[in-house]
Amino acid sequence: EPEVTQTPSHQVTQMGQEVILRCVPISNHLYFYWYRQILGQKVEFLVSFYNNEISEKSEIFDDQFSVERPDGSNFTLKIRSTKLEDSAMYFCASKSGNSPLHFGNGTRLTVT
Amino acid sequence: AQKITQTQPGMFVQEKEAVTLDCTYDTSDPSYGLFWYKQPSSGEMIFLIYQGSYDQQNATEGRYSLNFQKARKSANLVISASQLGDSAMYFCAMREGGATDSWGKLQFGAGTQVVVTP
């Protein structure tokens, strides 16, 4: 069964550094999302992306965050200058039409 | 205000028993959908079951069933014949609105940790 792939599974970075989290959505999916889950807390919506542009973003998704679909397969989340509070599990998800979201296995980001 | 409320932070259940996980929701949108996801200790999010607000029948998927009570705004997950591999965190989530893109913007509850014991 096709799946959403995220790399790396764990990323450690120093505060203030830029980090790029990578995702390969399921190939025939058109809608792409990033969510995050701070340890022990709820899963939170960050951003949705469709037709090569952001369709919706949450309050969390400020100017430090950006998303890109640089080619036909990858979908990336960039955090420009990481803060300690950005430490979380980041999930990429994709879907086609009115179908449930398929989540990747997540990237655990640790900011030190 | 909380859109999704899961009041049970944790539950123990014996193998082969059934377990019900509570979920209540709050929305004024007539078109919405409710999802349950499973998150094992390895961290991935696994889709289990979906119920649309206009669906007449309660959703079922194998050992999972959703007890949808629209008037009470509840969407409880029932896992029948629990197995050791069911030990995980379970999240209830909701999408609001009928637009295709809204199906991906989910609001999650706090989750219920289920531990299945032999």
Side-chain angles (χ1 to χ4, degrees):
Chain A
E1 187 175 323
E3 56 182 31
V4 176
T5 307
Q6 289 187 244
T7 54
S9 56
H10 191 188
Q11 173 107 35
V12 181
T13 190
Q14 283 198 318
M15 198 167 57
Q17 295 294 304
E18 175 183 285
V19 67
I20 297 176
L21 309 183
R22 302 182 190 278
C23 170
V24 179
I26 294 173
S27 61
N28 63 343
H29 284 186
L30 300 176
Y31 299 84
F32 313 113
Y33 304 82
W34 284 100
Y35 282 77
R36 81 169 183 192
Q37 184 183 29
I38 294 171
L39 189 63
Q41 297 188 25
K42 288 184 188 184
V43 179
E44 301 171 292
F45 167 79
L46 290 179
V47 66
S48 59
F49 190 88
Y50 170 69
N51 203 24
N52 283 321
E53 61 182 21
I54 291 173
S55 45
E56 191 167 356
K57 57 185 181 179
S58 72
E59 290 174 355
I60 304 164
F61 195 88
D62 61 22
D63 292 345
Q64 292 300 310
F65 291 88
S66 62
V67 289
E68 198 175 35
R69 187 151 162 84
D71 52 43
S73 59
N74 291 285
F75 180 51
T76 61
L77 174 70
K78 186 196 302 189
I79 309 175
R80 260 180 270 286
S81 177
T82 49
K83 303 188 278 275
L84 294 176
E85 53 265 39
D86 293 327
S87 294
M89 181 77 101
Y90 288 81
F91 290 102
C92 174
S94 70
K95 71 178 187 75
S96 69
N98 289 352
S99 66
L101 275 182
H102 293 258
F103 284 87
N105 286 353
T107 293
R108 183 167 298 285
L109 176 66
T110 302
V111 182
T112 61
Chain B
Q2 296 285 345
K3 289 278 189 172
I4 296 287
T5 303
Q6 295 180 253
T7 56
Q8 307 149 311
M11 299 184 73
F12 285 93
V13 59
Q14 274 206 310
E15 210 175 356
K16 301 190 182 114
E17 298 284 305
V19 61
T20 297
L21 308 184
D22 295 341
C23 173
T24 57
Y25 59 91
D26 181 29
T27 181
S28 56
D29 197 317
S31 177
Y32 57 90
L34 297 148
F35 301 78
W36 279 92
Y37 283 86
K38 171 184 177 181
Q39 187 178 43
S41 56
S42 47
E44 69 268 33
M45 296 284 285
I46 303 166
F47 166 72
L48 295 178
I49 196 166
Y50 168 76
Q51 180 86 42
S53 58
Y54 296 119
D55 293 343
Q56 297 295 317
Q57 309 250 7
N58 284 347
T60 59
E61 289 283 351
R63 292 186 299 111
Y64 304 107
S65 60
L66 203 152
N67 184 3
F68 182 46
Q69 297 187 48
K70 198 168 179 177
R72 297 177 66 181
K73 293 191 172 178
S74 76
N76 298 340
L77 177 71
V78 180
I79 307 173
S80 61
S82 297
Q83 301 170 357
L84 295 177
D86 293 335
S87 294
M89 182 73 94
Y90 289 81
F91 290 99
C92 181
M94 178 174 69
R95 57 107 183 145
E96 292 177 283
T100 301
D101 196 33
S102 75
W103 280 66
K105 184 187 173 187
L106 301 182
Q107 296 169 84
F108 283 80
T112 295
Q113 181 72 49
V114 172
V115 176
V116 181
T117 59

